PDB file of all heavy atoms in Angstrom:
ATOM      1  N   HIS Y 343       9.194  12.170   3.352  1.00  0.00           N
ATOM      2  CA  HIS Y 343      10.279  12.741   2.559  1.00  0.00           C
ATOM      3  C   HIS Y 343      11.449  11.768   2.508  1.00  0.00           C
ATOM      4  O   HIS Y 343      12.102  11.499   3.532  1.00  0.00           O
ATOM      5  CB  HIS Y 343      10.729  14.077   3.159  1.00  0.00           C
ATOM      6  CG  HIS Y 343      11.779  14.760   2.341  1.00  0.00           C
ATOM      7  ND1 HIS Y 343      11.499  15.496   1.219  1.00  0.00           N
ATOM      8  CD2 HIS Y 343      13.126  14.809   2.488  1.00  0.00           C
ATOM      9  CE1 HIS Y 343      12.612  15.977   0.700  1.00  0.00           C
ATOM     10  NE2 HIS Y 343      13.626  15.567   1.451  1.00  0.00           N
ATOM     11  N   VAL Y 344      11.710  11.234   1.329  1.00  0.00           N
ATOM     12  CA  VAL Y 344      12.793  10.269   1.134  1.00  0.00           C
ATOM     13  C   VAL Y 344      13.994  11.039   0.595  1.00  0.00           C
ATOM     14  O   VAL Y 344      14.033  11.442  -0.569  1.00  0.00           O
ATOM     15  CB  VAL Y 344      12.362   9.146   0.170  1.00  0.00           C
ATOM     16  CG1 VAL Y 344      13.434   8.074   0.084  1.00  0.00           C
ATOM     17  CG2 VAL Y 344      11.039   8.533   0.625  1.00  0.00           C
ATOM     18  N   SER Y 345      14.962  11.248   1.424  1.00  0.00           N
ATOM     19  CA  SER Y 345      16.087  12.130   1.102  1.00  0.00           C
ATOM     20  C   SER Y 345      16.952  11.560  -0.020  1.00  0.00           C
ATOM     21  O   SER Y 345      16.966  10.337  -0.267  1.00  0.00           O
ATOM     22  CB  SER Y 345      16.958  12.346   2.345  1.00  0.00           C
ATOM     23  OG  SER Y 345      16.200  12.844   3.422  1.00  0.00           O
ATOM     24  N   GLU Y 346      17.690  12.446  -0.671  1.00  0.00           N
ATOM     25  CA  GLU Y 346      18.651  11.997  -1.673  1.00  0.00           C
ATOM     26  C   GLU Y 346      19.650  11.042  -1.027  1.00  0.00           C
ATOM     27  O   GLU Y 346      20.174  11.302   0.052  1.00  0.00           O
ATOM     28  CB  GLU Y 346      19.378  13.191  -2.280  1.00  0.00           C
ATOM     29  CG  GLU Y 346      20.279  12.827  -3.435  1.00  0.00           C
ATOM     30  CD  GLU Y 346      20.804  14.048  -4.168  1.00  0.00           C
ATOM     31  OE1 GLU Y 346      20.529  15.183  -3.720  1.00  0.00           O
ATOM     32  OE2 GLU Y 346      21.492  13.861  -5.184  1.00  0.00           O
ATOM     33  N   GLY Y 347      19.885   9.907  -1.687  1.00  0.00           N
ATOM     34  CA  GLY Y 347      20.767   8.887  -1.126  1.00  0.00           C
ATOM     35  C   GLY Y 347      20.054   7.890  -0.248  1.00  0.00           C
ATOM     36  O   GLY Y 347      20.673   6.928   0.240  1.00  0.00           O
ATOM     37  N   ALA Y 348      18.743   8.077  -0.035  1.00  0.00           N
ATOM     38  CA  ALA Y 348      17.967   7.151   0.780  1.00  0.00           C
ATOM     39  C   ALA Y 348      17.204   6.178  -0.115  1.00  0.00           C
ATOM     40  O   ALA Y 348      16.729   6.547  -1.194  1.00  0.00           O
ATOM     41  CB  ALA Y 348      16.985   7.904   1.669  1.00  0.00           C
ATOM     42  N   THR Y 349      17.071   4.946   0.350  1.00  0.00           N
ATOM     43  CA  THR Y 349      16.262   3.940  -0.333  1.00  0.00           C
ATOM     44  C   THR Y 349      15.343   3.282   0.676  1.00  0.00           C
ATOM     45  O   THR Y 349      15.804   2.727   1.684  1.00  0.00           O
ATOM     46  CB  THR Y 349      17.139   2.862  -0.991  1.00  0.00           C
ATOM     47  OG1 THR Y 349      17.951   3.448  -2.009  1.00  0.00           O
ATOM     48  CG2 THR Y 349      16.279   1.768  -1.609  1.00  0.00           C
ATOM     49  N   LEU Y 350      14.044   3.363   0.414  1.00  0.00           N
ATOM     50  CA  LEU Y 350      13.089   2.546   1.150  1.00  0.00           C
ATOM     51  C   LEU Y 350      13.017   1.202   0.429  1.00  0.00           C
ATOM     52  O   LEU Y 350      12.591   1.128  -0.725  1.00  0.00           O
ATOM     53  CB  LEU Y 350      11.720   3.215   1.186  1.00  0.00           C
ATOM     54  CG  LEU Y 350      11.535   4.330   2.218  1.00  0.00           C
ATOM     55  CD1 LEU Y 350      10.201   5.035   2.005  1.00  0.00           C
ATOM     56  CD2 LEU Y 350      11.625   3.782   3.648  1.00  0.00           C
ATOM     57  N   LEU Y 351      13.470   0.158   1.098  1.00  0.00           N
ATOM     58  CA  LEU Y 351      13.581  -1.164   0.495  1.00  0.00           C
ATOM     59  C   LEU Y 351      12.410  -2.016   0.995  1.00  0.00           C
ATOM     60  O   LEU Y 351      12.392  -2.456   2.150  1.00  0.00           O
ATOM     61  CB  LEU Y 351      14.922  -1.793   0.875  1.00  0.00           C
ATOM     62  CG  LEU Y 351      15.316  -3.075   0.145  1.00  0.00           C
ATOM     63  CD1 LEU Y 351      15.569  -2.803  -1.340  1.00  0.00           C
ATOM     64  CD2 LEU Y 351      16.558  -3.692   0.788  1.00  0.00           C
ATOM     65  N   PHE Y 352      11.429  -2.227   0.135  1.00  0.00           N
ATOM     66  CA  PHE Y 352      10.201  -2.889   0.555  1.00  0.00           C
ATOM     67  C   PHE Y 352      10.334  -4.401   0.493  1.00  0.00           C
ATOM     68  O   PHE Y 352      10.842  -4.962  -0.479  1.00  0.00           O
ATOM     69  CB  PHE Y 352       9.036  -2.417  -0.304  1.00  0.00           C
ATOM     70  CG  PHE Y 352       8.619  -1.002  -0.004  1.00  0.00           C
ATOM     71  CD1 PHE Y 352       9.245   0.065  -0.638  1.00  0.00           C
ATOM     72  CD2 PHE Y 352       7.634  -0.746   0.938  1.00  0.00           C
ATOM     73  CE1 PHE Y 352       8.884   1.370  -0.352  1.00  0.00           C
ATOM     74  CE2 PHE Y 352       7.273   0.561   1.240  1.00  0.00           C
ATOM     75  CZ  PHE Y 352       7.895   1.620   0.599  1.00  0.00           C
ATOM     76  N   SER Y 353       9.837  -5.047   1.518  1.00  0.00           N
ATOM     77  CA  SER Y 353       9.880  -6.497   1.600  1.00  0.00           C
ATOM     78  C   SER Y 353       9.055  -7.121   0.471  1.00  0.00           C
ATOM     79  O   SER Y 353       8.021  -6.583   0.060  1.00  0.00           O
ATOM     80  CB  SER Y 353       9.328  -6.956   2.948  1.00  0.00           C
ATOM     81  OG  SER Y 353       9.209  -8.362   2.987  1.00  0.00           O
ATOM     82  N   SER Y 354       9.478  -8.270  -0.010  1.00  0.00           N
ATOM     83  CA  SER Y 354       8.696  -9.033  -0.980  1.00  0.00           C
ATOM     84  C   SER Y 354       7.873 -10.124  -0.295  1.00  0.00           C
ATOM     85  O   SER Y 354       7.284 -10.977  -0.963  1.00  0.00           O
ATOM     86  CB  SER Y 354       9.618  -9.659  -2.031  1.00  0.00           C
ATOM     87  OG  SER Y 354      10.559 -10.527  -1.421  1.00  0.00           O
ATOM     88  N   ASP Y 355       7.806 -10.082   1.029  1.00  0.00           N
ATOM     89  CA  ASP Y 355       7.018 -11.042   1.799  1.00  0.00           C
ATOM     90  C   ASP Y 355       5.578 -10.546   1.887  1.00  0.00           C
ATOM     91  O   ASP Y 355       5.308  -9.514   2.503  1.00  0.00           O
ATOM     92  CB  ASP Y 355       7.610 -11.190   3.200  1.00  0.00           C
ATOM     93  CG  ASP Y 355       6.835 -12.176   4.068  1.00  0.00           C
ATOM     94  OD1 ASP Y 355       5.846 -12.769   3.583  1.00  0.00           O
ATOM     95  OD2 ASP Y 355       7.221 -12.334   5.250  1.00  0.00           O
ATOM     96  N   PRO Y 356       4.598 -11.244   1.283  1.00  0.00           N
ATOM     97  CA  PRO Y 356       3.207 -10.781   1.325  1.00  0.00           C
ATOM     98  C   PRO Y 356       2.681 -10.563   2.740  1.00  0.00           C
ATOM     99  O   PRO Y 356       1.768  -9.749   2.942  1.00  0.00           O
ATOM    100  CB  PRO Y 356       2.436 -11.902   0.614  1.00  0.00           C
ATOM    101  CG  PRO Y 356       3.445 -12.543  -0.285  1.00  0.00           C
ATOM    102  CD  PRO Y 356       4.734 -12.473   0.472  1.00  0.00           C
ATOM    103  N   ALA Y 357       3.238 -11.256   3.722  1.00  0.00           N
ATOM    104  CA  ALA Y 357       2.770 -11.109   5.099  1.00  0.00           C
ATOM    105  C   ALA Y 357       3.012  -9.706   5.648  1.00  0.00           C
ATOM    106  O   ALA Y 357       2.398  -9.324   6.663  1.00  0.00           O
ATOM    107  CB  ALA Y 357       3.458 -12.142   5.996  1.00  0.00           C
ATOM    108  N   LYS Y 358       3.877  -8.939   5.007  1.00  0.00           N
ATOM    109  CA  LYS Y 358       4.168  -7.575   5.452  1.00  0.00           C
ATOM    110  C   LYS Y 358       3.122  -6.567   4.971  1.00  0.00           C
ATOM    111  O   LYS Y 358       3.237  -5.378   5.249  1.00  0.00           O
ATOM    112  CB  LYS Y 358       5.544  -7.142   4.941  1.00  0.00           C
ATOM    113  CG  LYS Y 358       6.697  -8.019   5.402  1.00  0.00           C
ATOM    114  CD  LYS Y 358       6.971  -7.877   6.878  1.00  0.00           C
ATOM    115  CE  LYS Y 358       8.228  -8.657   7.276  1.00  0.00           C
ATOM    116  NZ  LYS Y 358       8.496  -8.544   8.724  1.00  0.00           N
ATOM    117  N   TYR Y 359       2.090  -7.044   4.258  1.00  0.00           N
ATOM    118  CA  TYR Y 359       1.112  -6.146   3.644  1.00  0.00           C
ATOM    119  C   TYR Y 359      -0.296  -6.546   4.079  1.00  0.00           C
ATOM    120  O   TYR Y 359      -0.947  -7.372   3.438  1.00  0.00           O
ATOM    121  CB  TYR Y 359       1.288  -6.157   2.118  1.00  0.00           C
ATOM    122  CG  TYR Y 359       2.703  -5.748   1.766  1.00  0.00           C
ATOM    123  CD1 TYR Y 359       3.702  -6.712   1.571  1.00  0.00           C
ATOM    124  CD2 TYR Y 359       3.065  -4.409   1.722  1.00  0.00           C
ATOM    125  CE1 TYR Y 359       5.016  -6.337   1.319  1.00  0.00           C
ATOM    126  CE2 TYR Y 359       4.376  -4.030   1.471  1.00  0.00           C
ATOM    127  CZ  TYR Y 359       5.339  -4.994   1.271  1.00  0.00           C
ATOM    128  OH  TYR Y 359       6.641  -4.618   1.041  1.00  0.00           O
ATOM    129  N   PRO Y 360      -0.772  -5.968   5.189  1.00  0.00           N
ATOM    130  CA  PRO Y 360      -2.049  -6.394   5.779  1.00  0.00           C
ATOM    131  C   PRO Y 360      -3.242  -6.055   4.889  1.00  0.00           C
ATOM    132  O   PRO Y 360      -3.168  -5.229   3.980  1.00  0.00           O
ATOM    133  CB  PRO Y 360      -2.101  -5.595   7.085  1.00  0.00           C
ATOM    134  CG  PRO Y 360      -1.264  -4.386   6.811  1.00  0.00           C
ATOM    135  CD  PRO Y 360      -0.157  -4.852   5.922  1.00  0.00           C
ATOM    136  N   LEU Y 361      -4.357  -6.680   5.179  1.00  0.00           N
ATOM    137  CA  LEU Y 361      -5.583  -6.499   4.421  1.00  0.00           C
ATOM    138  C   LEU Y 361      -6.100  -5.068   4.572  1.00  0.00           C
ATOM    139  O   LEU Y 361      -6.222  -4.555   5.685  1.00  0.00           O
ATOM    140  CB  LEU Y 361      -6.630  -7.485   4.930  1.00  0.00           C
ATOM    141  CG  LEU Y 361      -7.671  -8.034   3.960  1.00  0.00           C
ATOM    142  CD1 LEU Y 361      -7.001  -8.868   2.887  1.00  0.00           C
ATOM    143  CD2 LEU Y 361      -8.687  -8.876   4.722  1.00  0.00           C
ATOM    144  N   VAL Y 362      -6.422  -4.426   3.444  1.00  0.00           N
ATOM    145  CA  VAL Y 362      -7.018  -3.088   3.456  1.00  0.00           C
ATOM    146  C   VAL Y 362      -8.084  -2.999   2.364  1.00  0.00           C
ATOM    147  O   VAL Y 362      -8.143  -3.830   1.452  1.00  0.00           O
ATOM    148  CB  VAL Y 362      -5.968  -1.969   3.230  1.00  0.00           C
ATOM    149  CG1 VAL Y 362      -4.930  -1.956   4.338  1.00  0.00           C
ATOM    150  CG2 VAL Y 362      -5.315  -2.107   1.854  1.00  0.00           C
ATOM    151  N   HIS Y 363      -8.894  -1.961   2.446  1.00  0.00           N
ATOM    152  CA  HIS Y 363      -9.868  -1.653   1.394  1.00  0.00           C
ATOM    153  C   HIS Y 363      -9.111  -1.012   0.236  1.00  0.00           C
ATOM    154  O   HIS Y 363      -8.561   0.075   0.352  1.00  0.00           O
ATOM    155  CB  HIS Y 363     -10.917  -0.687   1.945  1.00  0.00           C
ATOM    156  CG  HIS Y 363     -12.026  -0.373   0.986  1.00  0.00           C
ATOM    157  ND1 HIS Y 363     -13.332  -0.234   1.379  1.00  0.00           N
ATOM    158  CD2 HIS Y 363     -12.044  -0.165  -0.356  1.00  0.00           C
ATOM    159  CE1 HIS Y 363     -14.095   0.048   0.335  1.00  0.00           C
ATOM    160  NE2 HIS Y 363     -13.312   0.099  -0.731  1.00  0.00           N
ATOM    161  N   THR Y 364      -9.094  -1.680  -0.892  1.00  0.00           N
ATOM    162  CA  THR Y 364      -8.318  -1.196  -2.024  1.00  0.00           C
ATOM    163  C   THR Y 364      -9.076  -1.535  -3.311  1.00  0.00           C
ATOM    164  O   THR Y 364     -10.283  -1.812  -3.285  1.00  0.00           O
ATOM    165  CB  THR Y 364      -6.888  -1.796  -1.992  1.00  0.00           C
ATOM    166  OG1 THR Y 364      -6.116  -1.280  -3.071  1.00  0.00           O
ATOM    167  CG2 THR Y 364      -6.897  -3.312  -2.030  1.00  0.00           C
ATOM    168  N   THR Y 365      -8.390  -1.493  -4.425  1.00  0.00           N
ATOM    169  CA  THR Y 365      -9.008  -1.839  -5.704  1.00  0.00           C
ATOM    170  C   THR Y 365      -7.992  -2.575  -6.547  1.00  0.00           C
ATOM    171  O   THR Y 365      -6.787  -2.331  -6.440  1.00  0.00           O
ATOM    172  CB  THR Y 365      -9.515  -0.565  -6.427  1.00  0.00           C
ATOM    173  OG1 THR Y 365     -10.130  -0.935  -7.664  1.00  0.00           O
ATOM    174  CG2 THR Y 365      -8.382   0.402  -6.710  1.00  0.00           C
ATOM    175  N   TRP Y 366      -8.480  -3.494  -7.368  1.00  0.00           N
ATOM    176  CA  TRP Y 366      -7.592  -4.283  -8.224  1.00  0.00           C
ATOM    177  C   TRP Y 366      -8.220  -4.352  -9.607  1.00  0.00           C
ATOM    178  O   TRP Y 366      -9.335  -4.861  -9.769  1.00  0.00           O
ATOM    179  CB  TRP Y 366      -7.383  -5.674  -7.640  1.00  0.00           C
ATOM    180  CG  TRP Y 366      -6.197  -6.399  -8.190  1.00  0.00           C
ATOM    181  CD1 TRP Y 366      -4.912  -6.360  -7.725  1.00  0.00           C
ATOM    182  CD2 TRP Y 366      -6.167  -7.277  -9.331  1.00  0.00           C
ATOM    183  NE1 TRP Y 366      -4.090  -7.151  -8.495  1.00  0.00           N
ATOM    184  CE2 TRP Y 366      -4.842  -7.721  -9.496  1.00  0.00           C
ATOM    185  CE3 TRP Y 366      -7.139  -7.719 -10.223  1.00  0.00           C
ATOM    186  CZ2 TRP Y 366      -4.449  -8.589 -10.504  1.00  0.00           C
ATOM    187  CZ3 TRP Y 366      -6.762  -8.589 -11.249  1.00  0.00           C
ATOM    188  CH2 TRP Y 366      -5.437  -9.018 -11.380  1.00  0.00           C
ATOM    189  N   GLU Y 367      -7.518  -3.827 -10.588  1.00  0.00           N
ATOM    190  CA  GLU Y 367      -8.008  -3.743 -11.965  1.00  0.00           C
ATOM    191  C   GLU Y 367      -9.435  -3.196 -12.017  1.00  0.00           C
ATOM    192  O   GLU Y 367     -10.308  -3.711 -12.704  1.00  0.00           O
ATOM    193  CB  GLU Y 367      -7.894  -5.097 -12.685  1.00  0.00           C
ATOM    194  CG  GLU Y 367      -6.458  -5.446 -13.030  1.00  0.00           C
ATOM    195  CD  GLU Y 367      -6.325  -6.557 -14.060  1.00  0.00           C
ATOM    196  OE1 GLU Y 367      -7.348  -7.073 -14.527  1.00  0.00           O
ATOM    197  OE2 GLU Y 367      -5.167  -6.894 -14.398  1.00  0.00           O
ATOM    198  N   GLY Y 368      -9.653  -2.117 -11.254  1.00  0.00           N
ATOM    199  CA  GLY Y 368     -10.892  -1.367 -11.364  1.00  0.00           C
ATOM    200  C   GLY Y 368     -12.055  -1.877 -10.557  1.00  0.00           C
ATOM    201  O   GLY Y 368     -13.167  -1.368 -10.688  1.00  0.00           O
ATOM    202  N   VAL Y 369     -11.851  -2.863  -9.679  1.00  0.00           N
ATOM    203  CA  VAL Y 369     -12.930  -3.409  -8.854  1.00  0.00           C
ATOM    204  C   VAL Y 369     -12.466  -3.392  -7.396  1.00  0.00           C
ATOM    205  O   VAL Y 369     -11.369  -3.849  -7.076  1.00  0.00           O
ATOM    206  CB  VAL Y 369     -13.293  -4.841  -9.295  1.00  0.00           C
ATOM    207  CG1 VAL Y 369     -14.381  -5.430  -8.401  1.00  0.00           C
ATOM    208  CG2 VAL Y 369     -13.756  -4.846 -10.753  1.00  0.00           C
ATOM    209  N   GLU Y 370     -13.324  -2.889  -6.507  1.00  0.00           N
ATOM    210  CA  GLU Y 370     -12.957  -2.770  -5.098  1.00  0.00           C
ATOM    211  C   GLU Y 370     -12.939  -4.139  -4.418  1.00  0.00           C
ATOM    212  O   GLU Y 370     -13.678  -5.055  -4.796  1.00  0.00           O
ATOM    213  CB  GLU Y 370     -13.932  -1.844  -4.374  1.00  0.00           C
ATOM    214  CG  GLU Y 370     -13.834  -0.395  -4.836  1.00  0.00           C
ATOM    215  CD  GLU Y 370     -14.629   0.550  -3.976  1.00  0.00           C
ATOM    216  OE1 GLU Y 370     -15.792   0.242  -3.639  1.00  0.00           O
ATOM    217  OE2 GLU Y 370     -14.092   1.604  -3.630  1.00  0.00           O
ATOM    218  N   LEU Y 371     -12.108  -4.238  -3.367  1.00  0.00           N
ATOM    219  CA  LEU Y 371     -11.962  -5.490  -2.624  1.00  0.00           C
ATOM    220  C   LEU Y 371     -11.161  -5.241  -1.362  1.00  0.00           C
ATOM    221  O   LEU Y 371     -10.640  -4.149  -1.135  1.00  0.00           O
ATOM    222  CB  LEU Y 371     -11.268  -6.558  -3.474  1.00  0.00           C
ATOM    223  CG  LEU Y 371      -9.740  -6.461  -3.647  1.00  0.00           C
ATOM    224  CD1 LEU Y 371      -9.197  -7.758  -4.243  1.00  0.00           C
ATOM    225  CD2 LEU Y 371      -9.302  -5.277  -4.470  1.00  0.00           C
ATOM    226  N   MET Y 372     -11.053  -6.271  -0.545  1.00  0.00           N
ATOM    227  CA  MET Y 372     -10.131  -6.297   0.586  1.00  0.00           C
ATOM    228  C   MET Y 372      -8.931  -7.139   0.146  1.00  0.00           C
ATOM    229  O   MET Y 372      -9.079  -8.319  -0.171  1.00  0.00           O
ATOM    230  CB  MET Y 372     -10.803  -6.901   1.822  1.00  0.00           C
ATOM    231  CG  MET Y 372     -12.131  -6.256   2.204  1.00  0.00           C
ATOM    232  SD  MET Y 372     -12.000  -4.487   2.578  1.00  0.00           S
ATOM    233  CE  MET Y 372     -10.954  -4.537   4.046  1.00  0.00           C
ATOM    234  N   ASN Y 373      -7.758  -6.509   0.157  1.00  0.00           N
ATOM    235  CA  ASN Y 373      -6.591  -7.200  -0.405  1.00  0.00           C
ATOM    236  C   ASN Y 373      -5.325  -6.705   0.280  1.00  0.00           C
ATOM    237  O   ASN Y 373      -5.372  -5.858   1.181  1.00  0.00           O
ATOM    238  CB  ASN Y 373      -6.534  -6.943  -1.917  1.00  0.00           C
ATOM    239  CG  ASN Y 373      -5.574  -7.886  -2.637  1.00  0.00           C
ATOM    240  OD1 ASN Y 373      -5.416  -9.045  -2.244  1.00  0.00           O
ATOM    241  ND2 ASN Y 373      -4.925  -7.395  -3.683  1.00  0.00           N
ATOM    242  N   TYR Y 374      -4.202  -7.250  -0.151  1.00  0.00           N
ATOM    243  CA  TYR Y 374      -2.909  -6.790   0.364  1.00  0.00           C
ATOM    244  C   TYR Y 374      -2.808  -5.275   0.300  1.00  0.00           C
ATOM    245  O   TYR Y 374      -3.186  -4.653  -0.699  1.00  0.00           O
ATOM    246  CB  TYR Y 374      -1.770  -7.387  -0.467  1.00  0.00           C
ATOM    247  CG  TYR Y 374      -1.628  -8.874  -0.384  1.00  0.00           C
ATOM    248  CD1 TYR Y 374      -1.966  -9.681  -1.475  1.00  0.00           C
ATOM    249  CD2 TYR Y 374      -1.159  -9.498   0.775  1.00  0.00           C
ATOM    250  CE1 TYR Y 374      -1.831 -11.068  -1.414  1.00  0.00           C
ATOM    251  CE2 TYR Y 374      -1.032 -10.879   0.839  1.00  0.00           C
ATOM    252  CZ  TYR Y 374      -1.374 -11.664  -0.249  1.00  0.00           C
ATOM    253  OH  TYR Y 374      -1.250 -13.025  -0.180  1.00  0.00           O
ATOM    254  N   SER Y 375      -2.276  -4.679   1.332  1.00  0.00           N
ATOM    255  CA  SER Y 375      -2.048  -3.237   1.324  1.00  0.00           C
ATOM    256  C   SER Y 375      -1.072  -2.849   0.230  1.00  0.00           C
ATOM    257  O   SER Y 375      -0.062  -3.526   0.006  1.00  0.00           O
ATOM    258  CB  SER Y 375      -1.468  -2.792   2.669  1.00  0.00           C
ATOM    259  OG  SER Y 375      -1.035  -1.448   2.605  1.00  0.00           O
ATOM    260  N   PRO Y 376      -1.341  -1.753  -0.479  1.00  0.00           N
ATOM    261  CA  PRO Y 376      -0.280  -1.174  -1.305  1.00  0.00           C
ATOM    262  C   PRO Y 376       0.960  -0.897  -0.463  1.00  0.00           C
ATOM    263  O   PRO Y 376       0.875  -0.752   0.769  1.00  0.00           O
ATOM    264  CB  PRO Y 376      -0.915   0.110  -1.826  1.00  0.00           C
ATOM    265  CG  PRO Y 376      -2.389  -0.184  -1.833  1.00  0.00           C
ATOM    266  CD  PRO Y 376      -2.607  -1.028  -0.605  1.00  0.00           C
ATOM    267  N   LEU Y 377       2.094  -0.790  -1.123  1.00  0.00           N
ATOM    268  CA  LEU Y 377       3.336  -0.602  -0.375  1.00  0.00           C
ATOM    269  C   LEU Y 377       3.334   0.729   0.367  1.00  0.00           C
ATOM    270  O   LEU Y 377       3.790   0.814   1.510  1.00  0.00           O
ATOM    271  CB  LEU Y 377       4.541  -0.725  -1.322  1.00  0.00           C
ATOM    272  CG  LEU Y 377       4.967  -2.159  -1.682  1.00  0.00           C
ATOM    273  CD1 LEU Y 377       3.852  -2.987  -2.294  1.00  0.00           C
ATOM    274  CD2 LEU Y 377       6.181  -2.148  -2.605  1.00  0.00           C
ATOM    275  N   ILE Y 378       2.850   1.790  -0.282  1.00  0.00           N
ATOM    276  CA  ILE Y 378       2.602   3.074   0.394  1.00  0.00           C
ATOM    277  C   ILE Y 378       1.134   3.404   0.168  1.00  0.00           C
ATOM    278  O   ILE Y 378       0.684   3.491  -0.973  1.00  0.00           O
ATOM    279  CB  ILE Y 378       3.514   4.191  -0.135  1.00  0.00           C
ATOM    280  CG1 ILE Y 378       4.979   3.854   0.164  1.00  0.00           C
ATOM    281  CG2 ILE Y 378       3.144   5.535   0.484  1.00  0.00           C
ATOM    282  CD1 ILE Y 378       5.960   4.909  -0.312  1.00  0.00           C
ATOM    283  N   TYR Y 379       0.388   3.620   1.245  1.00  0.00           N
ATOM    284  CA  TYR Y 379      -1.074   3.657   1.177  1.00  0.00           C
ATOM    285  C   TYR Y 379      -1.593   4.775   2.077  1.00  0.00           C
ATOM    286  O   TYR Y 379      -1.071   5.015   3.173  1.00  0.00           O
ATOM    287  CB  TYR Y 379      -1.605   2.315   1.643  1.00  0.00           C
ATOM    288  CG  TYR Y 379      -3.101   2.135   1.727  1.00  0.00           C
ATOM    289  CD1 TYR Y 379      -3.888   2.051   0.583  1.00  0.00           C
ATOM    290  CD2 TYR Y 379      -3.730   2.004   2.968  1.00  0.00           C
ATOM    291  CE1 TYR Y 379      -5.259   1.834   0.666  1.00  0.00           C
ATOM    292  CE2 TYR Y 379      -5.097   1.778   3.064  1.00  0.00           C
ATOM    293  CZ  TYR Y 379      -5.862   1.702   1.913  1.00  0.00           C
ATOM    294  OH  TYR Y 379      -7.215   1.485   2.003  1.00  0.00           O
ATOM    295  N   ALA Y 380      -2.624   5.453   1.596  1.00  0.00           N
ATOM    296  CA  ALA Y 380      -3.346   6.424   2.421  1.00  0.00           C
ATOM    297  C   ALA Y 380      -4.821   6.281   2.086  1.00  0.00           C
ATOM    298  O   ALA Y 380      -5.190   6.267   0.910  1.00  0.00           O
ATOM    299  CB  ALA Y 380      -2.865   7.843   2.146  1.00  0.00           C
ATOM    300  N   PHE Y 381      -5.666   6.171   3.101  1.00  0.00           N
ATOM    301  CA  PHE Y 381      -7.093   5.971   2.890  1.00  0.00           C
ATOM    302  C   PHE Y 381      -7.879   7.085   3.563  1.00  0.00           C
ATOM    303  O   PHE Y 381      -7.785   7.285   4.776  1.00  0.00           O
ATOM    304  CB  PHE Y 381      -7.519   4.611   3.447  1.00  0.00           C
ATOM    305  CG  PHE Y 381      -8.957   4.253   3.150  1.00  0.00           C
ATOM    306  CD1 PHE Y 381      -9.346   3.924   1.861  1.00  0.00           C
ATOM    307  CD2 PHE Y 381      -9.904   4.249   4.158  1.00  0.00           C
ATOM    308  CE1 PHE Y 381     -10.665   3.581   1.580  1.00  0.00           C
ATOM    309  CE2 PHE Y 381     -11.222   3.915   3.885  1.00  0.00           C
ATOM    310  CZ  PHE Y 381     -11.606   3.582   2.587  1.00  0.00           C
ATOM    311  N   GLU Y 382      -8.627   7.842   2.747  1.00  0.00           N
ATOM    312  CA  GLU Y 382      -9.493   8.913   3.232  1.00  0.00           C
ATOM    313  C   GLU Y 382      -8.718   9.910   4.102  1.00  0.00           C
ATOM    314  O   GLU Y 382      -9.148  10.271   5.201  1.00  0.00           O
ATOM    315  CB  GLU Y 382     -10.695   8.324   3.976  1.00  0.00           C
ATOM    316  CG  GLU Y 382     -11.596   7.499   3.055  1.00  0.00           C
ATOM    317  CD  GLU Y 382     -12.841   6.957   3.723  1.00  0.00           C
ATOM    318  OE1 GLU Y 382     -12.890   6.936   4.981  1.00  0.00           O
ATOM    319  OE2 GLU Y 382     -13.776   6.551   3.003  1.00  0.00           O
ATOM    320  N   GLN Y 383      -7.577  10.368   3.588  1.00  0.00           N
ATOM    321  CA  GLN Y 383      -6.745  11.346   4.277  1.00  0.00           C
ATOM    322  C   GLN Y 383      -6.706  12.651   3.478  1.00  0.00           C
ATOM    323  O   GLN Y 383      -7.007  12.668   2.283  1.00  0.00           O
ATOM    324  CB  GLN Y 383      -5.330  10.807   4.476  1.00  0.00           C
ATOM    325  CG  GLN Y 383      -5.263   9.477   5.218  1.00  0.00           C
ATOM    326  CD  GLN Y 383      -5.763   9.552   6.634  1.00  0.00           C
ATOM    327  OE1 GLN Y 383      -5.330  10.406   7.416  1.00  0.00           O
ATOM    328  NE2 GLN Y 383      -6.693   8.663   6.987  1.00  0.00           N
ATOM    329  N   LYS Y 384      -6.329  13.736   4.151  1.00  0.00           N
ATOM    330  CA  LYS Y 384      -6.183  15.036   3.501  1.00  0.00           C
ATOM    331  C   LYS Y 384      -4.757  15.544   3.685  1.00  0.00           C
ATOM    332  O   LYS Y 384      -4.174  15.408   4.754  1.00  0.00           O
ATOM    333  CB  LYS Y 384      -7.155  16.057   4.094  1.00  0.00           C
ATOM    334  CG  LYS Y 384      -8.620  15.776   3.796  1.00  0.00           C
ATOM    335  CD  LYS Y 384      -9.508  16.899   4.325  1.00  0.00           C
ATOM    336  CE  LYS Y 384     -10.964  16.643   3.984  1.00  0.00           C
ATOM    337  NZ  LYS Y 384     -11.854  17.729   4.469  1.00  0.00           N
ATOM    338  N   ASN Y 385      -4.232  16.156   2.632  1.00  0.00           N
ATOM    339  CA  ASN Y 385      -2.889  16.739   2.671  1.00  0.00           C
ATOM    340  C   ASN Y 385      -1.849  15.664   2.982  1.00  0.00           C
ATOM    341  O   ASN Y 385      -1.349  15.552   4.107  1.00  0.00           O
ATOM    342  CB  ASN Y 385      -2.807  17.872   3.710  1.00  0.00           C
ATOM    343  CG  ASN Y 385      -3.855  18.928   3.488  1.00  0.00           C
ATOM    344  OD1 ASN Y 385      -4.188  19.278   2.356  1.00  0.00           O
ATOM    345  ND2 ASN Y 385      -4.403  19.457   4.573  1.00  0.00           N
TER     346      ASN Y 385
END
C-alpha cells in the first residue's frame, strides 16, 4: 500500500534488478526482475 504523498523511487541501476523467470515481448527468459514482481503467488 503506497500511501497518498508517498513515492517509491526505483533505482535506474540494472544491478538492483536480479535475474528472475520473466517474459520479454511474449517470449519467456531469465532476465532483469521487473520493478515490482510476484511469481506464482495468490492474493
Side-chain angles (χ1 to χ4, degrees):
H343 184 81
V344 186
S345 304
E346 186 170 4
T349 296
L350 280 172
L351 190 67
F352 288 87
S353 173
S354 60
D355 180 1
K358 301 291 186 181
Y359 302 94
L361 211 64
V362 298
H363 184 141
T364 182
T365 181
W366 198 89
E367 287 196 0
V369 178
E370 293 189 315
L371 77 167
M372 307 300 295
N373 194 33
Y374 295 109
S375 170
L377 280 56
I378 297 181
Y379 177 71
F381 186 71
E382 296 183 344
Q383 304 296 308
K384 292 185 178 181
N385 305 322

